[in-house]
Amino acid sequence: MPCVTAFAASASTPTPPESRTYDHILDTVVARYHLPGIALGVIEHGKVIYVATRGETVAGSGQKITPRTLFEIASNSKAMTTALLGRLVDQGKLRWDDPVTKYLPDFQMYDPWVTRNMRVADLLTHSSGLPEGGGDLMLWPEPNSFTRADIIHGLRYIKPGYSFRSKYEYDNLLYVVAGEVAAAAGGAPYETLMHREVFQPLGLSRCQVGEWNRDTVGDVAAPHAREDGRNIPRQSGNPVIAAITSAPAGGIRCDLDDMLTWARNWLVPTPAQLKWLSAKQRRVLQSPHMLIPVSEQRRDWDDSHIMAYGYGWRMTDVDGTWTVWHTGTLSGMYSELMLLPDQKDGFVFLINGEADAARTVLGEALLKHFTRPDDTRDVTWYADAQQRADEQASKRAAAPDTSKAVPVAPAALAAWTGRYRDPWLGDLALCPSGDRVHFAVAKSPRLNGDVMRLGKRDLVHWSRHGMDPDAWLDFHPAQGGQPATLTMAKVDPLGDFSSDYEDLHFVRTGDCP
């Protein structure tokens, strides 16, 4: 049964029209996309007027999602990281135009000039020159043994994809660096600062970052994968949730109640909240700093003319209304926080399943309730349109059918087996294992699998079910006295950009043991 807590109404009280509207939108999306669980809250004119949940924390468990259920908010963590930095600016401990090397002397980018000129602000706008998702394999898949120091060191080896400050390409690593800047300026670890400077002052009592215990905290949603028409939970049996390197970019967990408190802090800040973060810094965080190309779909659906990135926030005009927002995406966890600052309206939802299309459709249907209330295009219309767009994209960049790939015997790959090293991902063993050849990255245990052959090409098929996408392996012979090398690419061209295999360059370092 749904949980609706925003209206203290008796059984005889008529259901408000807004509730019926939101119920219909929510239920249609849940049914269309078979979501395992979701929590949704809506703010109108600064007040929370609707809170509803559907589904279970773990599919089949019988434990219902509540407004107090913790979800991974993924990249919605970025706005909390920038708010922490804004606090430090207010306190005189940091300036946005300070060089990053003032706080992190070992910080280096590939280009020495960029290193010298990289400001704290440049860490936040996705315009550093890093290719889209560059270096994300040091963050995901989890768990892995990369530290924040490893990331700061590894950045110097990632070749730029474009010139500094010239365009927008989404990255995560520099938000990890931003968290370390905050730690250096604030004199405490990022996790300590987040609790002390953000969670506690705002009363975000359930939000978690750093190490914590799932059983002690309780009511925690597990991520799910969609397989063979079923929602399959992905949850470790260990109740201790370890601190993770990626926290400043996407590692915070919160419940719906706290996310609504967080949202209202931006829409209708109280005097105490304006002391917590000044009006000046609020404007800085939510002002356009880097333009983002506007997609054809946004122009068609939303009549959008401009899109930009602030510090941890995106912003777009939708049907003539200014919106400030962000999404969060992790394997099996999707979220969206949408603000319409001029009207003091907004919404937030948290999903514990694979929900790329569902998030787009739900977000659009909810947004139209505010920006174009007479819109005749309902959830089904948007869902059908999104499905057509996804199908067209798949046809344009179709992934090959890998079902006929066969394991490669060690003898067939003898010329290439051995130990390799990439300057930022580290050591790789490509060695015989029984009658197969196994690929294993030392610092990322889930990046392991058997080498397969499809036609005339080799690929690695990841051992862990649900890991994607698989990767092509392209071997290059030794020449000019230099050792053999190995490069990689996504088998599925539309695979997640965080699987940045294309940025890897392995050099052979020795034989297999």
Side-chain angles (χ1 to χ4, degrees), residues 27 34 39 45 56 99 108 159 198 234 343 350 354 374 389 464 468:
D27 289 335
H34 309 289
H45 309 300
E56 299 173 311
Q108 288 184 41
K159 294 181 180 180
V198 180
R234 304 288 188 220
Q343 290 86 348
L350 309 165
E354 295 295 344
D374 57 348
R464 183 176 174 84
D468 64 4

Side-chain angles (χ1 to χ4, degrees), residues 145-324:
S145 59
F146 287 98
T147 66
R148 291 171 190 163
D150 289 332
I151 287 171
I152 291 171
H153 182 77
L155 278 166
R156 67 197 66 187
Y157 302 113
I158 302 177
K159 294 181 180 180
Y162 58 97
S163 59
F164 185 41
R165 298 179 187 152
S166 67
K167 62 182 290 190
Y168 170 93
E169 289 285 355
Y170 197 84
D171 79 79
N172 288 293
L173 292 194
L174 293 183
Y175 268 81
V176 176
V177 175
E180 290 301 276
V181 167
Y190 169 83
E191 289 79 4
T192 300
L193 292 173
M194 185 57 63
H195 279 282
R196 188 181 76 202
E197 302 290 337
V198 180
F199 296 169
Q200 292 173 11
L202 292 179
L204 307 182
S205 60
R206 292 270 295 163
C207 289
Q208 302 290 330
V209 70
E211 184 177 296
W212 53 285
N213 189 290
R214 186 175 63 220
D215 293 347
T216 301
V217 171
D219 199 359
V220 180
H224 292 74
R226 187 77 179 166
E227 298 174 8
D228 301 323
R230 299 170 57 231
N231 291 309
I232 308 298
R234 304 288 188 220
Q235 181 167 270
S236 168
N238 187 349
V240 177
I241 308 300
I244 56 175
T245 300
S246 62
I252 294 174
R253 302 196 198 203
C254 293
D255 66 16
L256 180 63
D257 284 348
D258 281 352
M259 290 301 288
L260 288 169
T261 298
W262 171 247
R264 292 185 72 247
N265 156 75
W266 299 103
L267 293 173
V268 285
T270 64
Q273 289 169 341
L274 285 171
K275 290 182 179 179
W276 169 75
L277 186 66
S278 67
K280 178 180 179 180
Q281 296 311 320
R282 290 167 182 269
R283 286 193 297 272
V284 169
L285 298 182
Q286 295 189 346
S287 292
H289 292 284
M290 173 55 58
L291 291 177
I292 304 173
V294 179
S295 69
E296 183 178 342
Q297 179 167 295
R298 286 194 176 276
R299 293 181 186 277
D300 179 37
W301 286 13
D302 296 334
D303 193 28
S304 295
H305 299 80
I306 188 170
M307 187 172 175
Y309 205 86
Y311 296 165
W313 297 94
R314 296 186 183 100
M315 44 218 68
T316 322
D317 64 306
V318 177
D319 304 319
T321 299
W322 191 241
T323 66
V324 177

Side-chain angles (χ1 to χ4, degrees), residues 311-508:
Y311 296 165
W313 297 94
R314 296 186 183 100
M315 44 218 68
T316 322
D317 64 306
V318 177
D319 304 319
T321 299
W322 191 241
T323 66
V324 177
W325 55 283
H326 214 286
T327 55
T329 306
L330 284 171
S331 179
M333 285 277 180
Y334 283 70
S335 61
E336 182 170 322
L337 172 60
M338 174 66 66
L339 306 175
L340 293 78
D342 296 336
Q343 290 86 348
K344 314 302 182 190
D345 298 331
F347 58 82
V348 58
F349 58 81
L350 309 165
I351 303 171
N352 64 334
E354 295 295 344
D356 193 3
R359 179 178 60 196
T360 299
V361 171
L362 177 57
E364 192 68 20
L366 292 169
L367 188 54
K368 291 305 179 189
H369 182 69
F370 295 104
T371 66
R372 195 187 294 169
D374 57 348
D375 186 19
T376 59
R377 299 179 292 187
D378 60 7
V379 169
T380 300
W381 187 94
Y382 285 110
D384 290 345
Q386 184 63 47
Q387 181 175 334
R388 289 192 297 270
D390 291 342
E391 290 171 349
Q392 290 170 3
S394 296
K395 290 177 181 177
R396 287 194 297 269
D401 179 7
T402 59
S403 64
K404 296 182 180 180
V406 296
V408 177
L413 210 65
W416 304 112
T417 54
R419 295 190 174 274
Y420 292 76
R421 181 171 179 80
D422 174 80
W424 58 268
L425 193 65
D427 293 324
L428 160 71
L430 188 72
C431 295
S433 178
D435 60 353
R436 301 190 178 199
V437 176
H438 197 68
F439 177 110
V441 173
K443 282 193 170 185
S444 189
R446 293 190 181 182
L447 285 179
N448 78 86
D450 290 331
V451 178
M452 313 288 284
R453 182 154 294 167
L454 183 66
K456 296 182 178 181
R457 295 194 72 179
D458 295 318
L459 62 91
V460 55
H461 177 64
W462 305 119
S463 298
R464 183 176 174 84
H465 192 55
M467 275 283 296
D468 64 4
D470 289 341
W472 294 119
L473 303 177
D474 294 310
F475 298 98
H476 312 281
Q479 56 181 343
Q482 298 300 312
T485 60
L486 165 64
T487 56
M488 300 172 66
K490 287 182 280 292
V491 170
D492 181 357
L494 298 180
D496 191 285
F497 64 73
S498 287
S499 298
D500 54 320
Y501 311 131
E502 291 80 2
D503 299 331
L504 297 169
H505 186 80
F506 287 100
V507 175
R508 195 175 189 279

